[in-house]
Amino acid sequence: MIDLKKCTVYQIYPKSFCDSNGDGIGDIRGIIGKLDYIQSLGADYIWCTPFFTSPLRDNGYDVEDYRNINPVFGTMEDVEALIAGAEERGMGLMLDMVFNHTSTRHEWFKRALAGEQKYMDYYIFRDGGPDKPPTNWQSKFGGPAWEYVPSLQKWYLHLFDVTQADLNWNNPEVRQELKNIVLFWKSKGVKGFRFDVVNLISKPDVFEDDNIGDGKRFYSDGPRVHEFLKELVADTGIEDMITVGEMSSTSLANCLKYSNPKEKELSMCFNFHHLKVDYKDGNKWELMKPDYRRLRDLFAVWQTEMERKNGWMAVFWCNHDQPRIVSRFGDDKKYWKESAKMLATFIHLLRGTPYIYQGEELGMTNAGYSSIDEYRDVESINYYHILLKKGKTRERALEILRQRSRDNGRSPMQWNSGRYGGFSVTEPWIGLPDNYKWINVAAEDRDEDSILNYYRALVELRKQHKIIQEGRIEFLLLKPEEIFAYKRVLYGQELLVLNNFSGKNVPLCKPIPYSEHSCLISNYNQAENNQGRAIKSLRPYESIAFYGKY
Ligand code: GLC
Ligand code: CA
């Protein structure tokens, strides 16, 4: 079994990674052409978001056929070549299994709509008149979570877009179908899986109105979710592979169970609590400055509890659903480089498996779209209209999207300073910010001091140091709260990691003795500034990791 504690995962959003055939859309051949680059980062696994047949209403998270490839992205031969090419370079491919729902274009759903009982039982249909949905639950993309089908005089549940119908996991035949899909991809040589919103798969027995929320408390970490996961894993024999579950609005107690090896569920999970510290009253569509105190506390609690109860976390800042981290918790202007490196240090030396999302390793920023026509994401477009309906001005709605839209993470990967950033020879399906002229792979590859080379160093440090892989974690809740400090401890060794999450000089409450030999990595030149002296304060977004034996 591979040692996940040493590994780093690189995430690819194929549509925005690299276009090989000049249609403006990234594709699998494009990824194959960049495998050497991904290897140069030291990545052990590549997680690709879905490229299966799909109408792409939600860019592939609306799957029409789990065993075929969307021609826009390539062919099955291309995927086989991708698996082989990764393998040759010592990397494993992880596929994204979207098992909470299918596209309404999936064969099963079409047959359900045609009234075939067998397939109606694959989904969640409820009786009712056209005027009153079975419950008042809200879709995560806005609007009601139920859609009426006049010909059947029934409603079906869709927690996401109306074209993404939720599957009925209580039906053993559905579970068998999904296991067969996992087995199909496993036999192709795929090395791991990411399970999309997998803590939403078990719905309650009774559907009732939610008078205090959108319904999520009834189906998040639902009644049979652990049982379903154990069964899926046991019956497909994937317990020794890398598996990560995306957990939506989950709890620490549940994540401990999902990821404790004894439970034989998953190797690790993603949770998003730390990415909501800038949501006003928990609302993604209301802006607020990040609450750094809360951010630090969340990491402290999750990291220490995960260790104490033998759980394991995926640690990350970015993915295809999130704005870019340097624009969000860093400073994408004055301290662009410093803050991107600091944010990276904080994540990569934690206890857990770090994930790097394409372009994060370059310090890619939010896209800065200024008109609604530049957005492509179904959620962003829906919410733009919802915000206008709620009385926001156009300018305000656009400002909210500029900070919150998922499209911020979906602008094309910036390869070089050429036209369209080297992503494509034609105009891409979604625009890219002008900063590709200096924020790009070619420029950063040459520059020793670049964010890219800093990420490479961090990935390598994890491979070399047992203390990063296995050390105990201890958060030092120092004052002031912008200082995020933690220790990793392993048999007489100690790693101290200090990070300044602010653009100011921040004094430390207690000076730290500095010696050149003990500095493992830093985003400032320490030798020049600190020779033989103690560190009394941290500079803007400064990050230092000290390693020592005692
Ligand atoms: C997950 C995916 C997201 C998708 C949603 C519905 O959150 O990461 O991109 O829209 O699930 O499948
Ligand atoms: Ca293409």
Side-chain angles (χ1 to χ4, degrees):
M1 190 172 151
I2 38 102
D3 188 356
L4 288 180
K5 299 183 165 137
K6 284 188 186 168
C7 293
T8 301
V9 182
Y10 189 73
Q11 184 199 344
I12 292 183
Y13 196 67
K15 204 172 175 186
S16 304
F17 192 63
C18 182
D19 173 22
S20 73
N21 62 349
D23 62 357
I25 301 175
D27 47 52
I28 296 159
R29 287 272 149 205
I31 303 173
I32 295 173
K34 300 295 185 186
L35 283 171
D36 286 338
Y37 168 72
I38 303 165
Q39 184 188 26
S40 82
L41 280 165
D44 302 279
Y45 289 96
I46 302 171
W47 151 33
C48 265
T49 66
F51 43 53
F52 314 109
T53 316
S54 157
L56 300 183
R57 263 286 290 190
D58 187 21
N59 283 346
Y61 283 95
D62 44 340
V63 181
E64 186 176 330
D65 179 352
Y66 293 91
R67 292 182 179 79
N68 272 307
I69 311 306
N70 191 324
V72 165
F73 295 131
T75 62
M76 187 60 86
E77 289 68 50
D78 295 341
V79 174
E80 284 160 359
L82 174 62
I83 295 171
E87 182 104 32
E88 273 163 34
R89 293 166 179 82
M91 301 183 288
L93 186 68
M94 293 166 72
L95 289 194
D96 208 321
M97 300 284 108
V98 189
F99 284 173
N100 175 69
H101 44 264
T102 72
S103 163
T104 49
R105 285 227 222 139
H106 194 290
E107 178 70 21
W108 304 333
F109 196 79
K110 286 194 204 148
R111 296 177 75 165
L113 279 190
E116 274 188 58
Q117 193 58 49
K118 173 179 158 81
Y119 291 101
M120 288 172 69
D121 290 341
Y122 273 38
Y123 295 91
I124 300 173
F125 281 97
R126 286 291 178 274
D127 291 326
D131 308 322
K132 196 176 178 312
T135 66
N136 65 351
W137 298 0
Q138 293 297 298
S139 146
K140 291 178 187 286
F141 291 165
W146 297 92
E147 179 73 8
Y148 188 65
V149 183
S151 61
L152 299 172
Q153 298 188 341
K154 286 180 197 296
W155 297 79
Y156 70 86
L157 179 69
H158 63 90
L159 294 182
F160 293 89
D161 187 56
V162 56
T163 64
Q164 292 167 301
D166 280 57
L167 283 164
N168 173 18
W169 276 69
N170 284 334
N171 180 351
E173 283 181 59
V174 168
R175 304 205 295 275
Q176 191 54 51
E177 296 267 16
L178 301 176
K179 289 173 204 165
N180 293 344
I181 294 164
V182 169
L183 290 170
F184 173 85
W185 285 108
K186 193 180 161 195
S187 73
K188 292 252 177 226
V190 158
K191 289 292 185 303
F193 297 97
R194 180 247 191 201
F195 293 101
D196 188 58
V197 290
V198 76
N199 69 326
L200 309 184
I201 57 178
S202 169
K203 311 299 192 276
D205 291 332
V206 181
F207 286 77
E208 51 188 313
D209 276 349
D210 190 348
N211 297 320
I212 54 169
D214 61 5
K216 66 161 82 75
R217 66 196 172 105
F218 297 122
Y219 57 73
S220 309
D221 304 312
R224 296 177 69 187
V225 65
H226 294 285
E227 173 201 332
F228 290 157
L229 278 174
K230 286 184 170 72
E231 185 190 294
L232 176 73
V233 168
D235 292 356
T236 54
I238 56 170
E239 58 273 359
D240 292 338
M241 296 171 85
I242 178 172
T243 53
V244 54
E246 185 202 23
M247 306 303 173
S248 168
S249 299
T250 188
S251 70
L252 177 55
N254 275 293
C255 288
L256 283 164
K257 211 166 170 193
Y258 294 129
S259 67
N260 186 319
K262 280 206 205 99
E263 298 286 336
K264 295 199 186 324
E265 294 184 16
L266 301 170
S267 358
M268 63 188 97
C269 16
F270 293 116
N271 83 79
F272 299 92
H273 295 286
H274 64 299
L275 296 175
K276 296 182 181 173
V277 298
D278 52 2
Y279 291 6
K280 195 169 167 199
D281 305 321
N283 181 351
K284 171 169 174 175
W285 306 100
E286 288 287 349
L287 300 179
M288 188 182 87
K289 285 221 168 74
D291 179 344
Y292 288 105
R293 175 73 189 257
R294 186 166 159 65
L295 182 65
R296 191 177 78 168
D297 288 351
L298 276 167
F299 272 107
V301 170
W302 279 74
Q303 284 275 308
T304 35
E305 284 301 291
M306 278 280 166
E307 175 190 304
R308 199 165 68 84
K309 302 213 173 113
N310 204 22
W312 193 252
M313 280 169 83
V315 284
F316 71 104
W317 288 127
C318 297
N319 68 27
H320 63 289
D321 296 326
Q322 297 292 330
R324 293 289 182 176
I325 203 61
V326 69
S327 304
R328 188 176 185 184
F329 296 163
D331 173 345
D332 62 9
K333 299 199 173 62
K334 185 161 178 207
Y335 295 111
W336 166 69
K337 195 188 261 190
E338 290 81 358
S339 63
K341 289 181 179 178
M342 183 282 289
L343 290 160
T345 319
F346 176 74
I347 285 291
H348 283 256
L349 303 182
L350 284 173
R351 178 179 180 276
T353 299
Y355 283 65
I356 303 171
Y357 176 60
Q358 65 183 47
E360 175 187 343
E361 75 277 19
L362 308 174
M364 272 177 63
T365 64
N366 280 349
Y369 302 128
S370 55
S371 128
I372 188 63
D373 304 333
E374 292 179 90
Y375 287 92
R376 301 288 176 266
D377 172 30
V378 52
E379 183 198 46
S380 309
I381 296 168
N382 287 353
Y383 268 96
Y384 176 71
H385 295 293
I386 293 172
L387 291 170
L388 293 186
K389 256 200 218 128
K390 286 197 171 148
K392 299 258 192 277
T393 62
R394 264 166 216 284
E395 290 63 42
R396 184 66 187 164
L398 285 172
E399 178 54 33
I400 294 174
L401 253 56
R402 226 175 345 262
Q403 295 191 40
R404 293 293 148 87
S405 169
R406 305 195 296 180
D407 281 340
N408 283 309
R410 300 177 181 184
S411 63
M413 177 74 175
Q414 297 173 187
W415 294 103
N416 58 46
S417 59
R419 203 150 184 229
Y420 309 126
F423 164 76
S424 176
V425 291
T426 31
E427 189 173 350
W429 67 280
I430 189 168
L432 67 170
D434 280 344
N435 63 25
Y436 74 85
K437 287 174 193 138
W438 67 94
I439 304 178
N440 64 61
V441 171
E444 295 199 27
D445 197 38
R446 287 190 295 267
D447 172 8
E448 227 180 284
D449 185 45
S450 65
I451 298 169
L452 172 59
N453 282 317
Y454 193 88
Y455 267 85
R456 288 175 170 147
L458 283 168
V459 174
E460 183 59 28
L461 281 177
R462 173 168 291 265
K463 291 205 181 6
Q464 282 174 4
H465 292 269
K466 264 217 144 47
I467 195 165
I468 302 175
Q469 300 159 21
E470 293 177 12
R472 289 204 334 270
I473 183 122
E474 197 182 308
F475 265 74
L476 311 171
L477 299 175
L478 305 177
K479 283 207 167 120
E481 64 203 37
E482 294 95 337
I483 301 292
F484 284 41
Y486 59 83
K487 269 186 190 169
R488 307 290 310 274
V489 183
L490 187 76
Y491 337 107
Q493 302 162 53
E494 189 177 284
L495 178 70
L496 173 65
V497 188
L498 300 175
N499 303 285
N500 179 3
F501 271 66
S502 86
K504 295 175 300 210
N505 267 301
V506 178
L508 294 173
C509 50
K510 156 172 128 206
I512 312 262
Y514 172 79
S515 102
E516 205 179 321
H517 307 290
S518 65
C519 178
L520 204 60
I521 192 162
S522 175
N523 59 350
Y524 277 78
N525 186 331
Q526 296 298 338
E528 259 170 31
N529 298 304
N530 288 312
Q531 268 163 0
R533 275 181 267 143
I535 296 184
K536 295 204 179 95
S537 64
L538 294 183
R539 286 161 281 183
Y541 297 105
E542 182 164 3
S543 180
I544 326 172
F546 297 107
Y547 173 73
K549 298 199 165 120
Y550 54 85

